[in-house]
Amino acid sequence: MEFNGNRYIGDIVLKRRPEGGSYLNDIPAVKYLMEAGHIELRSPVTFFIGENGTGKSTLLEAIAVAAGFNPEGGTRNFNFSTRNTHSELCDCISLTRYGYPKDGFFLRAESFYNVASNIDELDEAGGIGPQLKDSYGGKSLHAQSHGESFISLVQNRFGGRGLYLLDEPEAALSPMRLMSLLVDMDGLVKKASQFIICTHSPILMAYPGAEIYQLSDEGIECADYKNTEHYIVTKQFLDNPERMLKYLLEE
């Protein structure tokens, strides 16, 4: 299909059910897919949110692998593997594509260390000539703090007209850095990019025009930003932390 606005992926379609005894059949996101058959992505920025265990990261990983990314993260050119832990869900889905992005990256907070290590290893083996780290700010990602390396990745490696899948990027970022990420995302969206993000961050979820899919034991539903549990609970806490702490901590 031809490129459709900022969307390179339009639908996530379940083409077959996971094997009968697979743990995937008990994950809310997969259950929803089995009932609905597909999830439509209608915005250049899509968020998957929800409690731990609802299947956000499992779903994003499956999308990434089905789109040609390394399960542990990186670009489509990364092929290292430290441990084979990805699920079979990637083989159970198909993606409705609108053209092919020129750029792309799958960011996993839990395995970003492995990506940084692989970049260093490839540079050490490359000998004379341009080094991979030049595309990541000219400095080893290991020589930067966790948050600095995340921002360096986005600002130096993400070039636009890309498909970017981010799994809980807030894990390494301060509130100010999260707002900086919003600015960087907006610049990339204006360069014909698509983002699919798993997050718990109300700051990131505030991106204008983003589509928010809330995952729960009841399934998956589109949610307005201010009606999400993440926004409501965070606002209640910040509006009256003393009251919330008294409620949480009283014996």
Side-chain angles (χ1 to χ4, degrees):
M1 292 187 181
E2 302 230 345
F3 177 58
N4 188 343
N6 284 72
R7 293 186 304 150
Y8 297 96
I9 296 175
D11 274 307
I12 304 151
V13 180
L14 186 72
K15 60 184 182 181
R16 69 171 177 83
R17 292 173 176 248
E19 297 296 329
S22 173
Y23 72 95
L24 291 169
N25 292 300
D26 296 321
I27 294 177
V30 180
K31 285 182 178 179
Y32 174 85
L33 267 176
M34 288 191 289
E35 293 173 2
H38 74 109
I39 299 172
E40 184 179 4
L41 307 185
R42 294 166 290 196
S43 169
V45 178
T46 302
F47 292 110
F48 292 129
I49 69 170
E51 283 298 323
N52 298 327
T54 51
K56 303 182 302 298
S57 294
T58 300
L59 179 59
L60 186 70
E61 175 193 79
I63 296 168
V65 176
F69 292 97
N70 182 3
E72 292 190 47
T75 71
R76 282 183 289 267
N77 294 325
F78 280 67
N79 58 14
F80 72 93
S81 177
T82 56
R83 188 179 179 188
N84 187 7
T85 59
H86 66 283
S87 74
E88 65 168 308
L89 186 59
C90 60
D91 298 321
C92 300
I93 64 170
S94 62
L95 306 177
T96 302
R97 297 172 182 264
Y98 299 99
Y100 289 90
K102 289 185 177 180
D103 191 29
F105 203 94
F106 176 31
L107 173 67
R108 300 188 67 159
E110 64 189 48
S111 59
F112 189 57
Y113 180 94
N114 300 336
V115 173
S117 296
N118 189 241
I119 292 170
D120 285 352
E121 289 166 3
L122 291 170
D123 278 345
E124 289 169 6
I128 299 173
Q131 297 206 306
L132 278 174
K133 69 181 180 184
D134 294 339
S135 298
Y136 295 82
K139 185 178 180 182
S140 171
L141 295 172
H142 280 314
Q144 305 175 54
S145 74
H146 202 24
E148 286 174 334
S149 64
F150 269 38
I151 291 297
S152 180
L153 167 71
V154 174
Q155 293 180 343
N156 294 287
R157 177 57 188 78
F158 291 12
R161 198 165 178 82
L163 173 63
Y164 304 111
L165 300 97
L166 313 181
D167 188 13
E168 298 184 6
E170 71 273 14
L173 301 177
S174 69
M176 288 298 293
R177 289 291 196 179
L178 283 169
M179 287 186 270
S180 176
L181 178 57
L182 279 175
V183 174
D184 294 329
M185 284 172 52
D186 189 55
L188 288 161
V189 167
K190 289 172 180 173
K191 293 180 180 178
S193 297
Q194 180 180 15
F195 284 85
I196 306 173
I197 304 173
C198 291
T199 188
H200 295 288
S201 170
I203 294 176
L204 282 184
M205 288 160 48
Y207 185 83
E211 186 165 44
I212 301 173
Y213 278 110
Q214 187 162 267
L215 285 66
S216 70
D217 289 336
E218 281 70 50
I220 303 177
E221 62 179 1
C222 281
D224 292 329
Y225 172 60
K226 291 187 177 180
N227 290 332
T228 64
E229 185 178 13
H230 298 66
Y231 175 87
I232 293 169
V233 171
T234 302
K235 187 174 188 303
Q236 287 176 341
F237 187 92
L238 294 177
D239 283 347
N240 197 335
E242 294 82 8
R243 180 181 178 185
M244 286 290 285
L245 287 169
K246 182 179 179 181
Y247 170 77
L248 292 168
L249 305 179
E250 67 181 5
E251 296 181 0

